Amino acid sequence: MARINEKELKEQIKTGSFSNVYFIYGDESYLKDFYVKKLKSKLVDGAFADFNFHQYDSKNSTIEDILQDAQTLPMMSEYTLILVCDYPLDKSTADFNALKEFFKDIPETCVLVFWYDNVEIDLKKSAKWKSIETAFAKAGSSVNLEKRSEGDLVKLIVNSAKKRNCTIDSANARYLISLVGNDIQTIFNELEKLCAFADSNEITKDEINELAVKSLQARVYDLSKFIINSNGDGAYNVLNTLFAQKEEPISILSVISSCYIDMYRVKCAKAANVNENELAQYYSYKGREFLIKNASRDCRNISFESLRASIDILQRADELMKSSSIDKNLLLEETVAKLLLTGAR
């Protein structure tokens, strides 16, 4: 078989041309859950689910039990579905070897799905996961369900609003993404609320500002804008609000650092005559292309020297926050003050 994309997986489910083995992973939790449920609904007759459907999680599961069920003949059905979530194949060579032996003679009546929702699978960093994914791809189908691009998310929002008898234009769809992030489930939750409020009318930017719950990234981006514009009062007002909402200081610092790194990348790209689309391909901006646009706008009046000095300040704060017993809120307040002074200079 092979490595397949979302479109090919959708076609397999639609036509019933299933692989006997699936390895499903990637950054988009909503899509992973969606297609696993699609496979189950297509493969399992509810009346015989007790006989033909077996589900395992990473706890209290053994590869022996999984493979034993995988070799069980289905009752009154064409397939037996074995669904295994977050199984730590990378932790046991014996388990992986047992699975590879099973791949040599897979029952035609079995569909075995290993999917990873809470385990990060990075094939570039882990040789172990790379070999596991390769074995699945050879035996069946490997599917990497990544975050969708901003353009795809815009189309999804516009079309989903229509299905809910509302309208939203592309500009406001992009604005919604910039506020709530690129997680599809979060987008759907916010869109459901906006459509209910709009009551079959057009969703406006004012309604988005009034009703949408900002992601941590969007709230910290507001903080970063105040810092960049040397607005100390605005910066500390946002920071105090984040503290009141019990946001973790290390998470806030991480997002501030990301904003400055985005600006530095854009600044370097412009100096090298690299456009924004090319820059997005070098880093993980899929579904978050708006970050590059924001960074491009924000870094216009900031020098390389100021950006480098600010990143040094943030790196030092990160080291202190992770390695000392210092009050983290106080450290973050001090870091914001240093960034404001650096910008002013």
Side-chain angles (χ1 to χ4, degrees):
M1 300 297 286
R3 296 178 175 90
I4 63 174
N5 57 32
E6 181 185 352
K7 183 178 179 181
E8 291 167 319
L9 175 60
K10 187 185 296 184
E11 184 65 19
Q12 283 190 6
I13 295 171
K14 180 181 178 181
T15 61
S17 303
F18 302 106
S19 299
N20 291 112
V21 174
Y22 287 96
F23 186 79
I24 299 176
Y25 68 107
D27 296 329
E28 185 49 74
S29 292
Y30 174 84
L31 292 178
K32 288 183 289 186
D33 183 65
F34 177 81
Y35 283 109
V36 165
K37 287 178 178 177
K38 280 285 188 182
L39 283 167
K40 181 181 176 183
S41 66
K42 191 82 170 183
L43 287 163
V44 180
D45 184 338
F48 298 95
D50 290 343
F51 301 99
N52 301 327
F53 174 61
H54 307 277
Q55 185 165 357
Y56 292 90
D57 58 26
S58 58
K59 298 177 182 177
N60 304 317
S61 301
T62 66
I63 200 70
E64 290 79 12
D65 289 340
I66 293 168
L67 297 184
Q68 182 177 339
D69 280 336
Q71 297 180 69
T72 302
L73 291 173
M75 178 178 289
M76 304 296 291
S77 179
E78 189 175 355
Y79 294 103
T80 295
L81 174 62
I82 314 297
L83 187 58
V84 187
C85 183
D86 290 339
Y87 191 89
L89 279 172
D90 60 321
K91 304 299 184 185
S92 172
T93 301
D95 284 357
F96 182 38
N97 287 337
L99 195 62
K100 286 193 290 185
E101 282 298 314
F102 174 75
F103 287 166
K104 293 177 181 178
D105 188 21
I106 306 171
E108 293 183 0
T109 57
C110 168
V111 174
L112 175 63
V113 180
F114 274 69
W115 72 297
Y116 290 87
D117 190 30
N118 299 306
V119 176
E120 182 181 357
I121 307 294
D122 192 329
L123 304 184
K124 294 180 180 179
K125 293 181 180 179
S126 172
K128 186 70 174 179
W129 279 119
K130 177 64 177 175
S131 63
I132 291 168
E133 187 271 344
T134 298
F136 272 89
K138 289 180 179 178
S141 294
S142 170
V143 194
N144 182 9
L145 295 171
E146 299 178 294
K147 293 289 185 183
R148 289 186 173 175
S149 69
E150 187 178 72
D152 288 338
L153 290 175
V154 167
K155 292 176 184 176
L156 180 66
I157 292 170
V158 171
N159 292 332
S160 297
K162 287 181 181 178
K163 291 177 182 178
R164 292 168 173 80
N165 298 318
C166 291
T167 59
I168 183 171
D169 63 29
S170 296
N172 281 333
R174 290 183 190 278
Y175 183 65
L176 177 62
I177 296 167
S178 73
L179 289 189
V180 306
N182 63 343
D183 178 75
I184 293 178
Q185 187 61 63
T186 301
I187 288 172
F188 280 157
N189 291 342
E190 294 301 320
L191 188 60
E192 193 75 39
K193 179 170 59 180
L194 287 163
C195 286
F197 184 83
D199 193 22
S200 301
N201 294 309
E202 182 175 6
I203 297 170
T204 66
K205 186 174 183 178
D206 287 341
E207 290 169 347
I208 294 172
N209 282 327
E210 183 178 352
L211 297 174
V213 177
K214 283 187 176 182
S215 66
L216 174 62
Q217 185 169 34
R219 285 177 285 154
V220 178
Y221 175 68
D222 290 341
L223 167 62
S224 299
K225 282 197 298 184
F226 283 124
I227 295 172
I228 292 164
N229 292 314
S230 300
N231 185 336
D233 289 340
Y236 280 105
N237 282 337
V238 174
L239 188 60
N240 289 332
T241 299
L242 291 168
F243 288 158
Q245 293 170 340
K246 306 297 183 184
E247 295 290 356
E248 287 292 330
I250 196 166
S251 298
I252 298 171
L253 181 65
S254 175
V255 179
I256 296 174
S257 300
S258 296
C259 291
Y260 276 85
I261 290 170
D262 290 339
M263 287 190 290
Y264 190 75
R265 286 172 176 168
V266 169
K267 200 85 171 175
C268 291
K270 287 183 176 180
N273 293 318
V274 174
N275 64 41
E276 293 178 1
N277 291 332
E278 290 178 279
L279 179 62
Q281 295 174 7
Y282 287 107
Y283 301 99
S284 301
Y285 287 108
K286 193 166 186 179
R288 305 182 304 144
E289 290 86 349
F290 63 87
L291 293 177
I292 298 177
K293 294 182 178 66
N294 292 342
S296 179
R297 180 186 63 241
D298 294 339
C299 74
R300 288 172 186 167
N301 298 318
I302 305 177
S303 67
F304 272 116
E305 291 73 17
S306 179
L307 284 172
R308 291 189 185 111
S310 296
I311 291 171
D312 286 343
I313 290 168
L314 290 162
Q315 182 178 359
R316 179 59 180 156
D318 182 71
E319 292 171 357
L320 285 172
M321 197 170 285
K322 292 176 179 176
S323 62
S324 70
S325 58
I326 191 171
D327 184 296
K328 292 179 172 57
N329 284 11
L330 184 62
L331 175 60
L332 195 53
E333 289 177 343
E334 180 184 335
T335 301
V336 169
K338 289 179 178 179
L339 291 172
L340 286 164
L341 288 171
T342 301
R345 285 198 294 268

